[in-house]
Amino acid sequence: MSFTLTKCYSPFVSKFDPCKPILTKCYSTPPNLYIGFQPNNIEQFPTAREALYAGTLWPCLYDPYYSKRGESIE
Amino acid sequence: MWYYEKKLQYPVKVSRCNPMLAKYLIEQYGGADGELSAALRYLNQRYTIPDKVVGLLNDIGTEEFAHLEMIATMIYKLTKDATPEQLEAAGLGAHFVNHDHALYYHNAAGAPWTATYIQAKGDPIADLYEDIAAEEKARATYQWIIDISDDPFINDSLKFLREREIVHSQRFHEAVEILKEERDRKKVF
Amino acid sequence: MTQKKPLPDSYYQLMEQIQAVDFVLVELTLYLDTHPHDLDAIKQFNQAAYESRQLKNQFEDQFGPLMQYGQSYSSYPWNWKEAPWPWQV
């Protein structure tokens, strides 16, 4: 399955907009929108620990999210 | 009945005392799209949904209580031992005079939890579509909290919770397919 | 007031192992609720349920019961009510 987890668009910018314009706005389109009925026996994360830290057992449902603020290195 | 287990579903760590972040996180505790709303919504709808999908509502509803406990843990740790001055500086002065350090079921703006946040229409498709919408709204709320938070440990736990919304939404979509009974059947219109 | 001893690292390590195996069980539970005929998933579920029970026996020997209402055995004196609770650790 090939799809993107984010979609972007360019909002109209007026010369009278008071805040510094954001030229591209993006939103999440997570994998559950595309999978339909999950097939049997799809690939799993190799260990329970990896599944826990991904928040799902299946890589095809995994959708990482990154803070717009930008995060300090953990 | 339910059994309590003395463990969190996922490890919760907090970098520093930060009552301001707790004030935002309480949205997912007692807010419209928070974990309390989710748990009560699904566990209440399960009485009037076809047997085929009762188990799913039951089990997702149960998991939501584990998420509620994770959010409570974050709020508890972020505010534990904070002085009244620190709480006031974080915008929690009004909370403090009513509740001290206690948690309370209200949203980030202080509005108390209300049953009007949730629906049980008794129509299986209407209820499951509400549940899918609730998961997407909760996912979005987690995104905005992650965006505003500067605590990498809190964000790690919030990313787990955001991912769970995606999985729950996936399962609710499957429940709709099960109730349509059109799965694997060739559709000719 | 005396200060309580901090928990050893082994508490957190063992707890994390339990959280990982139990997470697989949560995921498979929800999956099987919509895929009740997936035999491989059921085998994996039963295997994980066994591993979870083993890990919890080991944990409870060292740190006390994880569940009560009879879902765990008790030592003497009754230690279920002892801190720490999950939100405190």
Side-chain angles (χ1 to χ4, degrees):
Chain A
M1 221 170 306
S2 168
F3 55 85
T4 56
L5 297 172
T6 307
K7 304 288 178 291
C8 297
Y9 64 102
S10 307
F12 178 80
V13 176
S14 163
K15 61 181 177 180
F16 300 116
D17 287 350
C19 300
K20 183 172 174 280
I22 299 168
L23 300 178
T24 305
K25 293 212 176 192
C26 298
Y27 54 95
S28 280
T29 50
N32 58 293
L33 299 177
Y34 303 94
I35 287 173
F37 210 98
Q38 184 178 325
N40 289 11
N41 297 308
I42 55 172
E43 188 202 344
Q44 297 186 1
F45 282 105
T47 65
R49 196 171 180 279
E50 283 165 86
L52 177 71
Y53 287 110
T56 178
L57 184 52
W58 297 277
C60 76
L61 274 168
Y62 178 54
D63 176 25
Y65 184 79
Y66 304 100
S67 170
K68 287 188 195 127
R69 172 184 278 233
E71 283 159 29
S72 50
I73 306 304
E74 286 167 46
Chain B
M1 77 173 288
W2 273 268
Y3 292 103
Y4 181 72
E5 190 159 38
K6 227 177 188 177
K7 76 172 219 283
L8 296 181
Q9 189 188 9
Y10 184 93
V12 170
K13 273 183 80 199
V14 175
S15 304
R16 61 184 178 90
C17 178
N18 185 353
M20 178 88 85
L21 183 52
K23 182 178 160 66
Y24 300 140
L25 272 170
I26 211 149
E27 185 67 33
Q28 291 298 62
Y29 193 65
D33 307 314
E35 301 292 353
L36 180 72
S37 298
L40 297 182
R41 179 187 295 112
Y42 307 147
L43 292 174
N44 183 59
Q45 288 176 357
R46 71 191 164 142
Y47 301 105
T48 50
I49 204 115
D51 289 354
K52 279 179 177 176
V53 300
V54 169
L56 184 68
L57 260 74
N58 185 78
D59 296 340
I60 294 181
T62 299
E63 186 182 350
E64 304 295 4
F65 276 123
H67 297 171
L68 187 68
E69 189 181 34
M70 284 177 63
I71 294 291
T73 300
M74 294 179 211
I75 296 167
Y76 166 79
K77 289 188 181 230
L78 286 164
T79 55
K80 182 174 181 271
D81 308 319
T83 63
E85 291 77 14
Q86 284 176 305
L87 293 171
E88 192 182 18
L92 284 170
H95 180 98
F96 176 75
V97 297
N98 196 4
H99 306 291
D100 193 336
H101 284 68
L103 278 71
Y104 195 71
Y105 292 115
H106 55 60
N107 70 8
W113 190 86
T114 158
T116 55
Y117 287 159
I118 62 178
Q119 181 56 288
K121 193 51 76 175
D123 178 274
I125 300 301
D127 282 347
L128 285 170
Y129 272 62
E130 152 142 342
D131 301 344
I132 290 166
E135 296 293 340
E136 302 301 342
K137 288 188 282 181
R139 171 183 57 75
T141 309
Y142 280 121
Q143 289 166 193
W144 314 151
I145 300 174
I146 291 166
D147 288 345
I148 209 168
S149 155
D150 63 353
D151 186 323
F153 292 130
I154 288 279
N155 282 358
D156 178 70
S157 297
L158 294 178
K159 287 173 185 182
F160 170 84
L161 291 169
R162 176 182 176 275
E163 180 64 37
R164 297 310 296 151
E165 310 296 342
I166 292 171
V167 174
H168 291 174
S169 180
Q170 170 70 25
R171 297 291 167 248
F172 283 133
H173 276 108
E174 289 167 354
V176 170
E177 293 305 308
I178 289 169
L179 295 189
K180 279 160 65 182
E181 293 186 334
E182 289 288 346
R183 194 156 70 84
D184 303 328
R185 205 182 293 175
K186 290 277 175 288
K187 275 175 291 251
V188 183
F189 291 108
Chain C
M1 284 291 282
T2 54
Q3 225 183 332
K4 286 184 182 160
K5 270 196 314 213
L7 290 164
D9 289 345
S10 59
Y11 173 94
Y12 296 94
Q13 286 155 5
L14 202 45
M15 179 56 87
E16 188 195 43
Q17 286 180 48
I18 291 170
Q19 284 164 328
V21 174
D22 280 7
F23 178 68
V24 172
L25 288 164
V26 168
E27 271 288 68
L28 288 175
T29 296
L30 302 188
Y31 172 83
L32 286 164
D33 284 342
T34 56
H35 299 71
H37 299 288
D38 186 338
L39 181 62
D40 290 333
I42 292 171
K43 287 179 181 164
Q44 186 186 4
F45 179 90
N46 287 335
Q47 175 61 32
Y50 176 78
E51 284 170 29
S52 172
R53 195 59 258 165
Q54 299 300 108
L55 285 168
K56 285 175 187 176
N57 286 341
Q58 202 186 329
F59 182 94
E60 290 182 325
D61 284 346
Q62 293 175 57
F63 304 110
L66 280 163
M67 294 180 78
Q68 234 8 304
Y69 291 155
Q71 300 301 300
S72 299
Y73 292 108
S74 183
S75 52
Y76 181 87
W78 180 253
N79 53 352
W80 163 248
K81 63 175 188 64
E82 296 304 319
W85 292 88
W87 55 91
Q88 297 172 323
V89 301

